[in-house]
Amino acid sequence: MVAVADLDLRHLRALAAVADAGTFGRAAADLGYTQSAISQQVAALERVLGGPVFDRPGGPRPVELTPLGEVLLDHARTLLDQAHCAARDVDRFLAGALGQIDVGTFQSVLTAVVPAVLGRLHDDHPDVEVRLVQREDNDDLVDGLVAGRLDLTFLLADDPRVESVELFVDPFVLVARTGEVDAGPVATSRLHGQAVIAELDNPCQRQIDDGLRQHAVEPDVVFRTNDNTAVAAMVRAGMGMAVMPLLAIDVEDPRLAVHPLNPPLPPRHVSLAWLPGRTLSPAAIRFVAIAREVTAPLAERPLAAA
């Protein structure tokens, strides 16, 4: 039985070239080899197969495939086509134009940042597939990296298990109905006993609660939800104010007014992370680069302004 592992793509390429050209000399010219090199490759192929693949009549007459050569030629063309496709896909992968990226994210980044990153990536490389996983807890996102379920994830806190790049700092601000509060910064102490809309228990809300407690402020939470759009809707309805990360707010909404807090709460630090020691695909590296470009204007926002 022929040892498949002994078949060499160079030998199959020589077989196909000679079959197409009709002579060893023209096949050599087509492939950019010497005629002796083509002859050696065909001879090596015949040794592996245990029989001739060409009848060589001599003189000006073209060579002809033997029955054994005919059996092999169709398979040779298929293998060569597959090798060409593989080489093309490897080139595209290395250029960041092909591949799959699994990315972890959380609500505010998912709505305010990720669409712009995906749009840029799709415009540049439409064959890169991105799959998203939303979690609101940093530990869940980091666990996804460690378990190999995620290639990249957006995070809100440092974690010793990951390598990351900070994208921007996101301040916490007060959101109220337009005209409800005088323009400009609002004293954080004003929120003590104030009716507010808050999120359910998650890292972001815990950071807000901890920051308010540092200033001895305990608001009256009248409604909790993990839907940022619902928080804004309840504020618009007059149910209460809210303390939210600036990224989660539609600052163009004329029915809402955004005010810096004085003194401010410690802000969120939004980063993009991956697992150390795990090789990122070129597509993932491109995702990181685009994320940094897209969020550059956010990184340049003055924290006191809203």
Side-chain angles (χ1 to χ4, degrees):
M1 184 174 180
V2 174
V4 175
D6 292 334
L7 293 175
D8 192 303
L9 286 177
R10 293 175 302 167
H11 303 156
L12 299 180
R13 191 174 293 111
L15 170 72
V18 175
D20 291 339
T23 70
F24 281 69
R26 285 199 293 268
D30 291 342
L31 294 180
Y33 295 152
T34 64
Q35 182 170 335
S36 63
I38 293 293
S39 297
Q40 291 170 8
Q41 289 168 10
V42 171
L45 176 62
E46 291 175 332
R47 285 195 297 273
V48 172
L49 298 175
V53 294
F54 290 110
D55 286 327
R56 301 164 174 80
R61 294 173 57 193
V63 299
E64 296 181 353
L65 285 166
T66 66
L68 176 59
E70 290 177 353
V71 167
L72 183 60
L73 181 60
D74 285 343
H75 295 290
R77 292 196 193 282
T78 299
L79 290 171
L80 290 170
D81 287 343
Q82 291 175 342
H84 175 75
C85 291
R88 181 193 60 198
D89 285 349
V90 167
D91 286 343
R92 295 178 66 213
F93 176 85
L94 293 175
L98 185 69
Q100 176 182 300
I101 320 170
D102 292 282
V103 181
T105 184
F106 48 90
Q107 184 180 179
S108 56
V109 164
L110 180 63
T111 56
V113 173
V114 172
V117 178
L118 294 184
R120 286 271 304 276
L121 186 65
H122 180 75
D123 288 344
D124 294 344
H125 302 304
D127 291 331
V128 172
E129 178 185 358
V130 178
R131 299 191 301 188
L132 298 173
V133 174
Q134 181 182 343
R135 297 286 186 272
E136 297 307 317
D137 194 294
N138 254 44
D139 287 340
D140 290 342
L141 293 169
V142 174
D143 288 345
L145 287 180
V146 173
R149 296 188 299 271
L150 298 176
D151 300 302
L152 301 167
T153 189
F154 292 92
L155 292 178
L156 281 176
D158 292 333
D159 191 293
R161 294 173 291 175
V162 304
E163 184 176 345
S164 65
V165 57
E166 183 172 293
L167 299 176
F168 60 97
V169 177
D170 193 28
F172 289 107
V173 294
L174 178 69
V175 187
R177 286 198 298 175
T178 299
E180 185 175 0
V181 178
D182 290 340
V186 172
T188 304
S189 59
R190 177 170 178 169
L191 290 173
H192 188 71
Q194 172 73 43
V196 301
I197 317 301
E199 293 190 13
L200 297 169
D201 184 57
N202 63 43
C204 181
Q205 187 60 50
R206 289 196 291 271
Q207 187 173 347
I208 293 172
D209 294 342
D210 291 344
L212 292 175
R213 288 193 193 99
Q214 290 176 11
H215 299 290
V217 172
E218 290 287 346
D220 177 19
V221 178
V222 296
F223 177 59
R224 288 188 183 274
T225 175
N226 270 346
D227 185 341
N228 289 328
T229 59
V231 173
M234 294 304 102
V235 172
R236 288 195 299 267
M239 191 175 188
M241 301 180 187
V243 177
M244 300 177 69
L246 183 56
L247 187 68
I249 304 166
D250 178 7
V251 295
E252 302 299 326
D253 189 338
R255 297 164 294 179
L256 296 177
V258 179
H259 303 267
L261 288 167
N262 183 28
L265 305 187
R268 305 193 304 175
H269 292 260
V270 180
S271 62
L272 189 55
W274 54 92
L275 199 65
R278 182 175 294 164
T279 301
L280 292 179
S281 69
I285 293 172
R286 180 59 182 148
F287 187 98
V288 174
I290 293 175
R292 297 185 72 174
E293 294 168 8
V294 164
T295 58
L298 301 177
E300 296 166 2
R301 294 178 305 181
L303 297 188

